[in-house]
Amino acid sequence: RGGELELWDEVKRVAGEIILAEDLPEVERSVAESVSSRNPFSVEHRIRHASGEIRWVHDSGRAIHGSDNAPGYLDGVMLDITGRKNAEKARLAKELKRIEIEIGKCRGKLASDTFVANAPPAVVEQERQRLLDWNAQQIALSEQLAKLG
């Protein structure tokens, strides 16, 4: 157990220097689970690059155990996925704009006394449901976008 604690202390020290504080608990959980289960870890998180820039990385690997069965070191790879994350942010922002337009259309119809008075009740209810659905999608996409930073 001593080797595992020493390895873990070193991983936490190095990780704490580059991994953003908000992402560190998930990285620590993933690596700790990997070390104890002897299964690989795989986690996406942000780091502070030597230039000071924030970058997204996909970090994967596993603990290599010695002849005494104690973990000796972590072997793995860290890939820069910033471009993919930026493309995802752009896609979500575009989709949010489209949803905002649809919400505006629904609100416009429902705010129209003429529409509400003349449309069949089922059509008015359908428009109300559409507004609820668009609002739910807007919330979900906004949360995804917020997670991307």
Side-chain angles (χ1 to χ4, degrees), residues 26-144:
E26 175 62 18
V27 175
E28 287 178 342
R29 185 204 58 74
S30 181
V31 173
E33 186 178 289
S34 169
V35 169
S36 65
S37 70
R38 293 182 176 235
N39 289 319
F41 66 88
S42 178
V43 63
E44 293 181 354
H45 59 87
R46 294 166 295 168
I47 63 168
R48 184 168 310 282
H49 189 271
S51 68
E53 178 184 10
I54 302 299
R55 298 226 172 220
W56 276 96
V57 296
H58 178 94
D59 201 356
S60 60
R62 69 179 321 135
I64 305 300
H65 293 74
S67 58
D68 61 353
N69 283 327
Y73 61 95
L74 291 178
D75 184 35
V77 64
M78 186 181 285
L79 301 173
D80 187 336
I81 59 169
T82 305
R84 181 172 60 94
K85 290 292 186 173
N86 287 342
E88 179 69 4
K89 283 168 52 173
R91 184 193 68 77
L92 289 171
K94 183 177 178 182
E95 183 66 10
L96 276 169
K97 285 183 185 203
R98 186 184 72 78
I99 288 172
E100 288 169 9
I101 291 168
E102 293 300 328
I103 288 172
K105 289 178 187 177
C106 289
R107 286 183 177 156
K109 284 182 183 178
L110 293 171
S112 167
D113 292 336
T114 304
F115 173 77
V116 174
N118 296 326
V123 172
V124 173
E125 184 54 36
Q126 180 182 5
E127 201 62 29
R128 286 187 179 120
Q129 187 59 51
R130 281 177 33 105
L131 180 59
L132 290 174
D133 292 344
W134 286 123
N135 281 327
Q137 285 185 44
Q138 183 183 40
I139 290 167
L141 290 179
S142 294
E143 288 172 355
Q144 287 180 25

